[in-house]
Amino acid sequence: DAGVTQSPTHLIKTRGQQVTLRCSPKSGHDTVSWYQQALGQGPQFIFQYYEEEERQRGNFPDRFSGHQFPNYSSELNVNALLLGDSALYLCASSPAGRGSETQYFGPGTRLLVL
Amino acid sequence: GQNIDQPTEMTATEGAIVQINCTYQTSGFNGLFWYQQHAGEAPTFLSYNVLDGLEEKGRFSSFLSRSKGYSYLLLKELQMKDSASYLCAVRDLRSNDYKLSFGAGTTVTVRA
């Protein structure tokens, strides 16, 4: 039973570029949440997707957008990258769509913006 | 939103016990989670408390007091592999609030 998977594992971009990160949820999970974790900090909620729609959003600018596909996998897109976007981006999945279940995290994508 | 506070660092000796405290302020409460995160890796789920009291899982236990906005994670019989960051996270009770709000994490260093 595969857990949450994310790709790529590492990424280096320059300011102003765009990036797309991918996540496949754990088998049986239909809800995907994205978090940004800066060095030495706890994860910060970006948004959550359920039934291919953004269900809730954290305090992130519109440069951060996402998508969920019919197979429940998800993408996080960040436009016009800033140096401050350098962080570990974590995807978490949970079952049943109620949002009240435990979230399980993937290994993350480490993004470095130069 | 939530204010979640936990100590930045703790050090303990192999075989000892360490208690990591977490205090939170929230307009509602719908569960508290503890995650373990080794350096450079993803957080892994340790425990979930929604009612007052102690939940025990092997060497790890978690306690919750909703009236005090307080939780702790107790790590017993510490092993070197327990050196990691421990994250406290809270979920709000308000409708349509599905996110987890995390503290900054407590880095635990286990010494021989």
Side-chain angles (χ1 to χ4, degrees):
Chain A
D1 178 24
V4 181
T5 60
Q6 292 185 243
S7 63
T9 55
H10 295 81
L11 205 50
I12 300 175
K13 291 285 188 178
T14 57
R15 281 178 297 175
Q17 285 189 311
Q18 178 265 344
V19 68
T20 297
L21 311 181
R22 297 177 176 81
C23 170
S24 291
K26 185 177 169 63
S27 178
H29 290 188
D30 59 3
T31 302
V32 173
S33 304
W34 286 93
Y35 292 81
Q36 179 195 64
Q37 186 176 24
L39 200 60
Q41 299 297 317
Q44 298 294 311
F45 177 78
I46 303 174
F47 40 55
Q48 185 182 83
Y49 276 85
Y50 170 65
E51 291 188 338
E52 302 180 48
E53 293 191 355
E54 182 183 289
R55 178 158 69 175
Q56 186 180 10
R57 188 180 184 88
N59 295 324
F60 279 80
D62 292 343
R63 299 186 297 109
F64 289 77
S65 63
H67 188 77
Q68 186 178 34
F69 299 93
N71 66 354
Y72 309 125
S73 66
S74 176
E75 289 182 349
L76 164 65
N77 300 292
V78 187
N79 294 322
L81 283 167
L82 304 174
L83 296 180
D85 296 331
S86 295
L88 179 66
Y89 288 85
L90 295 163
C91 167
S93 73
S94 51
R98 288 172 290 170
S100 61
E101 304 298 329
T102 298
Q103 295 183 13
Y104 294 89
F105 285 85
T109 295
R110 189 163 296 281
L111 173 65
L112 177 62
V113 182
L114 300 175
Chain B
Q2 292 87 6
N3 291 324
I4 301 169
D5 292 314
Q6 47 182 133
T8 304
E9 294 181 344
M10 301 184 76
T11 301
T13 305
E14 196 174 14
I17 298 173
V18 69
Q19 178 175 314
I20 306 169
N21 297 324
C22 172
T23 58
Y24 63 88
Q25 296 176 319
T26 181
S27 53
F29 178 79
N30 192 24
L32 186 142
F33 297 78
W34 285 96
Y35 285 84
Q36 179 192 60
Q37 186 176 28
H38 285 100
E41 298 182 10
T44 55
F45 170 73
L46 289 179
S47 68
Y48 170 64
N49 294 71
V50 67
L51 299 176
D52 290 351
L54 188 68
E55 295 281 341
E56 297 188 81
K57 272 187 180 184
R59 295 189 298 113
F60 293 1
S61 303
S62 58
F63 171 83
L64 175 68
S65 169
R66 289 171 296 171
S67 62
K68 295 182 180 178
Y70 168 70
S71 172
Y72 68 72
L73 179 69
L74 194 69
L75 285 62
K76 295 178 281 189
E77 301 171 16
L78 280 171
Q79 301 176 8
M80 300 299 288
K81 67 178 182 180
D82 298 330
S83 292
S85 178
Y86 292 85
L87 299 162
C88 172
V90 170
R91 186 165 53 212
D92 201 276
L93 182 61
R94 293 170 295 176
S95 62
N96 300 322
D97 193 332
Y98 303 98
K99 69 179 185 292
L100 292 178
S101 297
F102 284 85
T106 299
T107 300
V108 171
T109 302
V110 180
R111 293 184 173 165

